[in-house]
Amino acid sequence: RSEVTRGELTITTAISHAACNIVRECDIPVIVTMSESGLTARGVSRYRPRSRIIALSPNLITCQQLQLSWGVSAVHIPRSSSTDDMLASAEKLLLEQNYISQGEYFVLTAGIPTGQTGKTNLLKVQQVGGS
């Protein structure tokens, strides 16, 4: 079990840690991180979850750098204009790449409003095909 001391705790770290706990406790197969800089994906990677880590970023350099992080598969995507667009894009990609099936859940981390670096403040458990 990974421990985080109060001095190291940030919102991004807390969300990364919580995402890993949720996938472990609920047996969820995928964590999706929507990321400009890759910070959250690297944070999730630090906890070595058994679930697959899919990092989605509109920044090609971030995607290339994330390929070096433990357990992270990085995918270059167009920039999302809204949270709903971001969620729909993630779900579509997960289905197309066979990372997940209809009815299964995934965990999503992101920053809202979209397009800002270092602003991860959203953690959502989403059922594919659900709302």
Side-chain angles (χ1 to χ4, degrees):
R1 183 177 133 168
S2 298
E3 294 295 326
V4 178
T5 63
R6 287 180 191 239
E8 300 170 344
L9 193 60
T10 66
I11 299 295
T12 299
T13 302
I15 287 175
S16 298
H17 190 248
C20 292
N21 285 336
I22 290 167
V23 297
R24 184 184 69 244
E25 295 294 327
C26 299
D27 196 28
I28 294 174
V30 178
I31 298 172
V32 176
T33 65
M34 304 294 283
S35 188
E36 293 286 327
S37 68
L39 180 65
T40 306
R42 284 189 286 277
V44 169
S45 173
R46 180 182 329 144
Y47 296 107
R48 305 288 196 265
R50 289 188 182 141
S51 299
R52 179 171 246 142
I53 305 166
I54 309 296
L56 305 179
S57 180
N59 185 334
L60 184 57
I61 292 171
T62 295
C63 289
Q64 292 167 341
Q65 291 170 342
L66 284 173
Q67 296 296 359
L68 300 174
S69 294
W70 181 92
V72 176
S73 297
V75 179
H76 184 243
I77 61 165
R79 189 171 308 282
S80 298
S81 58
S82 70
T83 306
D84 289 342
D85 182 39
M86 176 176 53
L87 194 56
S89 296
E91 190 171 303
K92 182 180 178 201
L93 180 118
L94 292 174
L95 286 168
E96 286 175 354
Q97 299 297 317
N98 295 314
Y99 289 127
I100 203 160
S101 301
Q102 283 288 341
E104 287 187 300
Y105 290 88
F106 66 96
V107 170
L108 175 87
T109 68
I112 49 176
T114 60
Q116 297 181 4
T117 300
K119 300 291 183 185
T120 299
N121 59 4
L122 173 71
L123 174 66
K124 180 166 176 51
V125 178
Q126 176 73 21
Q127 186 175 26
V128 176
S131 52

